[in-house]
Amino acid sequence: MRETKTYVAVAFNLPVEKFFWYILPSRFKRRLIKRGQRVVVPFGSRQILGFVVEESSRRPQGELKEVRDLFDRSSPFSETLFQLARWISDYYSCSLGQALHSIFPFSFPYKEEKPLFNPPSRDSLKREEVYLVKPGKNKFDFILSVIKDNKELQKQVIILVPEISLLATFQEKLERWKVKAGIFHSRLSPKQRYYCWLAMKKGEFDVAVGTRSLVFAPFPDIGSILIDEEESTDYKQKETPKYNVCQVAIKRGELENFPVYLVTNSPSLESWYRAKKKIYRTITFSNNEKEISSFKVVDLKKEKKENRIFSSILREEMKKALKRKLPVLLFVPRRGYANFLLCDDCGEVIRCPNCNTGLSFHIRGEMVCHLCGFREKAPKVCPFCGGRNLKKVGWGTQRVELETRRIFPEARVERFDFDTFKSSPHLIPSKIREEKIDILVGTQLLMKEEIISVSGVVAIILLDVLLNLPDFRATEHAFQLLNKISRSLNKNSSLIVQTYNPSHYVLSTKTCEDFYLKELEIRKTLRYPPFQRWIRFLLEGRVKSKVKDRSEEIAREIRKENIDFLGPSPCPFSRIKGKYRYHIILRDDGLSDLQQIIKRVNLGMMKGSVKVGVDVDPLFIV
DNA sequence: AGCACGCCGACT
DNA sequence: GTCGGCGTGCTC
């Protein structure tokens, strides 16, 4: 019998759409090659790993090289996880190889692992739904009930949290409930993560808790995915593929037929809107409709100038809390000592040579760029005019820390921000319990339920910074923060909000419903999400004119497609790390096939020295 | 993404 | 002359 040759298509973890075909030597043919399995192949001048995505007995065109070796003994991808990769690659516009790699990123050779039990066949008549769960104070009761229900059915539950520091509480609860649980996050070593992955594949756990990439857990029979604090922007992946975990979980639920629970008391406007339109079902616990008005607003316009960090009301409240031996939490929206250095003689600001934004002034006379991390010694005289009157403008955590120590010399003050890596946020509640801290000064990193709930006073030193960020979701995020703090507070504790704009609607709306309706109205008139879907092209390059030219070239290409878009325009941060940045934002009302358009536009545009990136449903437009 | 290849400036 | 800077384009 004549031997027929076999050919395989390989996809790489590279920003290259197409597959590459190789001859599969007959010595490998005895073993079945499954799609998703990795092979070692020659690629240009090197040898790399790639995922087998197709097989054929017909010879493809062109010169072909041979597969050098099989890396895995079997495919790590289930049928549905492979389909999920396909969907990610289509929806978020990345190569199939990149999508497969983000689902299975391990560099260990995989060999077949059989589950410890046979998963029952799926009940494919029933279509499962997405639920927006507003648990009030009953979050853990709800989660436990979901775990119990699934345990009875021999199904596994995935619990996702926005970031690592939130895992400790879950770990504690799961231990107390005596649940066989795996913990999965990026701080584990590659080996630890892979072992956890294998254990999940075998079905050794009933539950897994973890961050973003746990959404790809290889459990044999998933009963449901719970996403805690679904509104968190941490659920958006920053690297390609720039997926949103909630969307990926929902897609996976559709493919594997299980319900997804978005658990939060302050939903994202998008999710709230979908629940309102009955695309998601809503589960509300009875004590949830508490009003959000339980905070005191301080009008800084009416304060004496020297009281603009600590208003008289705040000082009083702090004294009261300290007397009751309850810790005070001061939220300062930016780190460093001062916001920037301004020359009083010529008006120039000291700027980052890579990013052109104002460098912030840190203690010990250091200038730091918060965009790229650039550091230099603060100048004694103005580098532009030689003037000696360099003024420190604005303030951050370090300045507030010093002021706090000055005004409350007896108190034990601690600062917590990106610069103080000494302690992690989950250690702070225990420090507070041991009565080691009186006043905590920190950034957003501190705004954790378990920290807020043990505080006597929480103060937002200047709300206006949050409201005026260059982001159309700024108000929504400020609302979610206020809502989260006031819900987490003990009933005898208080939230104080200092602002120059006390009549802002984020402060004056009385219920969540009112706020979301108001915000929705604004989004509608301005044609922002959720009324339109956005896709952003980000162009970066060292030569400004080239970036600009290319962005105009792409704009011309898009114009042919007859689709609405903004730009091209320089990004709000027009230069980062020495690279000029332009963007174009496609705005779609849901009728056109944007993904196809991106492909057509991208095809002709991949050439050249300007990097073009695509972000589908972007969260940050900076 | 790498890596090679190619075309310009400043050095022994 | 030639070493090496990075801009450009290809990888079955």
Side-chain angles (χ1 to χ4, degrees):
Chain A
M1 209 161 67
R2 224 178 74 213
E3 177 113 19
T4 52
K5 283 202 168 182
T6 305
Y7 306 93
V8 288
V10 178
F12 299 110
N13 178 28
L14 297 176
V16 180
E17 286 283 322
K18 61 175 181 177
F19 305 146
F20 294 81
W21 286 90
Y22 292 87
I23 300 163
L24 188 70
S26 53
R27 68 196 139 105
F28 297 132
K29 275 197 264 174
R30 257 171 293 143
R31 270 182 253 143
L32 199 66
I33 299 271
K34 294 212 182 108
R35 65 181 187 179
Q37 193 171 339
R38 290 169 301 176
V39 287
V40 182
V41 290
F43 190 66
S45 60
R46 60 213 169 111
Q47 305 226 18
I48 56 172
L49 284 184
F51 299 94
V52 172
V53 290
E54 267 174 52
E55 202 179 4
S56 172
S57 53
R58 299 258 302 275
R59 189 181 215 288
Q61 287 186 329
E63 291 263 302
L64 295 186
K65 291 182 182 172
E66 286 189 350
V67 167
R68 197 57 50 88
D69 210 347
L70 305 184
F71 189 72
D72 298 316
R73 294 261 213 89
S74 172
S75 172
F77 296 87
S78 65
E79 185 56 34
T80 49
L81 275 179
F82 197 89
Q83 281 175 278
L84 190 65
R86 276 249 157 79
W87 178 80
I88 288 172
S89 137
D90 288 341
Y91 188 84
Y92 290 103
S93 193
C94 66
S95 72
L96 182 58
Q98 286 173 309
L100 288 165
H101 182 80
S102 60
I103 294 176
F104 189 78
F106 306 103
S107 47
F108 302 99
Y110 173 75
K111 65 172 203 281
E112 178 112 66
E113 297 284 353
K114 284 261 187 287
L116 300 173
F117 51 88
N118 281 330
S121 59
R122 284 191 187 105
D123 183 2
S124 56
L125 278 166
K126 208 172 126 206
R127 240 192 85 206
E128 291 294 350
E129 311 226 27
V130 179
Y131 296 85
L132 180 61
V133 185
K134 300 181 196 167
K137 296 258 177 214
N138 303 346
K139 186 169 91 180
F140 288 106
D141 299 331
F142 173 74
I143 290 174
L144 181 58
S145 75
V146 172
I147 292 174
K148 275 184 174 165
D149 292 350
N150 281 295
K151 169 89 180 148
E152 264 170 45
L153 301 165
Q154 271 209 28
K155 285 168 183 273
Q156 302 82 47
V157 174
I158 297 172
I159 303 173
L160 298 168
V161 298
E163 45 133 335
I164 295 175
S165 72
L166 298 166
L167 285 170
T169 315
F170 277 90
Q171 212 169 345
E172 233 170 75
K173 294 275 181 195
L174 290 165
E175 271 166 35
R176 196 174 316 152
W177 296 335
K178 301 204 175 5
V179 173
K180 274 191 290 174
I183 311 286
F184 191 87
H185 55 82
S186 58
R187 293 263 182 89
L188 299 175
S189 72
K191 208 170 188 172
Q192 285 172 315
R193 280 213 290 165
Y194 185 55
Y195 284 162
C196 184
W197 189 93
L198 286 175
M200 291 192 282
K201 181 99 180 164
K202 280 189 238 169
E204 283 176 7
F205 304 127
D206 296 322
V207 175
V209 201
T211 46
R212 270 203 302 267
S213 58
L214 182 65
V215 75
F216 303 121
F219 277 132
D221 188 22
I222 297 173
S224 53
I225 295 185
L226 289 150
I227 304 180
D228 191 27
E229 298 190 35
E230 66 89 26
E231 76 280 15
S232 171
T233 53
D234 288 329
Y235 284 129
K236 175 89 173 167
Q237 175 86 7
K238 275 143 210 85
E239 302 83 38
T240 307
K242 296 177 179 169
Y243 61 82
N244 187 313
V245 165
C246 298
Q247 292 322 109
V248 174
I250 289 167
K251 187 67 202 179
R252 193 170 179 192
E254 213 176 290
L255 291 169
E256 296 181 26
N257 200 39
F258 58 76
V260 173
Y261 299 98
L262 308 174
V263 185
T264 181
N265 287 310
S266 341
S268 66
L269 186 68
E270 272 92 341
S271 296
W272 186 87
Y273 180 66
R274 286 190 194 123
K276 193 88 189 159
K277 290 189 73 175
K278 308 254 191 287
I279 298 167
Y280 298 165
R281 297 242 218 147
T282 309
I283 301 176
T284 309
F285 284 77
S286 55
N287 58 353
N288 189 280
E289 282 313 311
K290 177 183 162 191
E291 298 202 340
I292 52 154
S293 54
S294 52
F295 49 78
K296 290 178 189 157
V297 179
V298 176
D299 185 353
L300 289 175
K301 293 197 296 290
K302 293 180 183 158
E303 284 292 320
K304 279 186 267 169
K305 213 175 175 183
E306 65 270 23
N307 282 1
R308 284 187 173 177
I309 294 181
F310 295 97
S311 62
S312 33
I313 297 174
L314 177 56
R315 286 171 201 240
E316 282 313 307
E317 291 288 331
M318 285 174 75
K319 276 183 204 156
K320 271 196 257 170
L322 293 173
K323 207 171 274 173
R324 290 163 59 208
K325 297 237 182 290
L326 287 171
V328 172
L329 195 58
L330 302 178
F331 171 61
V332 181
R334 56 193 166 211
R335 62 204 172 87
Y337 183 90
N339 215 3
F340 54 91
L341 269 189
L342 174 86
C343 174
D344 216 14
D345 298 327
C346 71
E348 288 285 353
V349 167
I350 313 293
R351 291 175 184 278
C352 173
N354 307 321
C355 309
N356 205 36
T357 52
L359 290 170
S360 65
F361 182 87
H362 283 228
I363 42 171
R364 287 187 280 279
E366 228 182 346
M367 306 297 292
V368 179
C369 176
H370 287 185
L371 276 180
C372 76
F374 173 85
R375 278 163 192 273
E376 67 178 9
K377 270 260 161 278
K380 295 263 187 301
V381 297
C382 172
F384 301 96
C385 74
R388 300 189 157 270
N389 301 306
L390 288 169
K391 283 234 161 94
K392 302 180 187 83
V393 182
W395 37 263
T397 46
Q398 295 175 344
R399 170 78 191 279
V400 175
E401 182 194 0
L402 288 176
E403 286 293 310
T404 310
R405 289 183 195 280
R406 193 175 61 79
I407 299 172
F408 301 92
E410 315 281 281
R412 288 159 303 173
V413 181
E414 259 201 59
R415 170 163 59 89
F416 189 87
D417 55 30
F418 188 74
D419 301 312
T420 60
F421 262 128
K422 294 170 290 225
S423 48
S424 340
H426 72 270
L427 292 176
I428 287 180
S430 58
K431 266 186 156 177
I432 290 176
R433 246 177 273 124
E434 291 159 25
E435 297 188 8
K436 282 182 181 161
I437 305 174
D438 298 317
I439 303 175
L440 254 171
V441 180
T443 54
Q444 196 95 37
L445 295 172
L446 263 185
M447 295 293 118
K448 302 275 167 338
E449 193 179 332
E450 47 175 353
I451 301 175
I452 297 162
S453 63
V454 291
S455 302
V457 173
V458 178
I460 295 174
I461 300 296
L462 188 60
L463 182 71
D464 310 52
V465 177
L466 296 182
L467 294 177
N468 294 318
L469 291 171
D471 177 354
F472 71 84
R473 289 186 177 86
T475 314
E476 181 191 338
H477 292 149
F479 170 80
Q480 285 157 348
L481 182 69
L482 289 174
N483 191 237
K484 181 170 154 182
I485 298 173
S486 54
R487 279 174 184 283
S488 311
L489 276 177
N490 257 319
K491 64 170 180 291
N492 295 320
S493 303
S494 55
L495 167 59
I496 296 172
V497 182
Q498 304 193 133
T499 176
Y500 288 96
N501 192 359
S503 58
H504 193 285
Y505 67 95
V506 77
L507 297 170
S508 59
T509 45
K510 288 291 172 239
T511 63
C512 294
E513 179 93 3
D514 284 347
F515 173 80
Y516 285 111
L517 287 172
K518 171 85 183 165
E519 185 66 21
L520 214 52
E521 208 180 288
I522 294 169
R523 301 276 181 95
K524 191 165 195 171
T525 40
L526 295 174
R527 302 168 66 205
Y528 284 159
F531 295 97
Q532 289 202 322
R533 262 189 59 215
W534 281 13
I535 292 182
R536 181 194 194 213
F537 283 96
L538 175 64
L539 297 96
E540 290 175 293
R542 226 164 271 286
V543 186
K544 190 177 179 180
S545 60
K546 284 198 175 176
V547 183
K548 192 163 183 280
D549 290 351
R550 173 54 60 79
S551 69
E552 272 153 16
E553 201 182 326
I554 292 185
R556 273 197 298 280
E557 209 63 34
I558 299 168
R559 234 165 256 132
K560 287 185 206 155
E561 302 284 346
N562 195 27
I563 192 149
D564 184 35
F565 66 95
L566 297 170
S569 59
C571 302
F573 290 111
S574 58
R575 203 169 118 222
I576 295 181
K577 289 188 189 172
K579 292 205 171 133
Y580 289 91
R581 311 168 79 242
Y582 274 71
H583 64 187
I584 294 170
I585 295 166
L586 305 189
R587 307 198 293 177
D588 165 53
D589 37 31
L591 298 174
S592 28
D593 188 351
L594 281 193
Q595 269 68 24
Q596 281 310 308
I597 292 173
I598 298 172
K599 281 217 174 96
R600 278 205 291 280
V601 170
N602 244 349
L603 273 180
M605 294 297 152
M606 287 307 278
K607 60 186 192 295
S609 64
V610 178
K611 201 182 124 198
V612 185
V614 183
D615 189 351
V616 178
D617 307 330
L619 279 186
F620 306 103
I621 321 280
V622 288

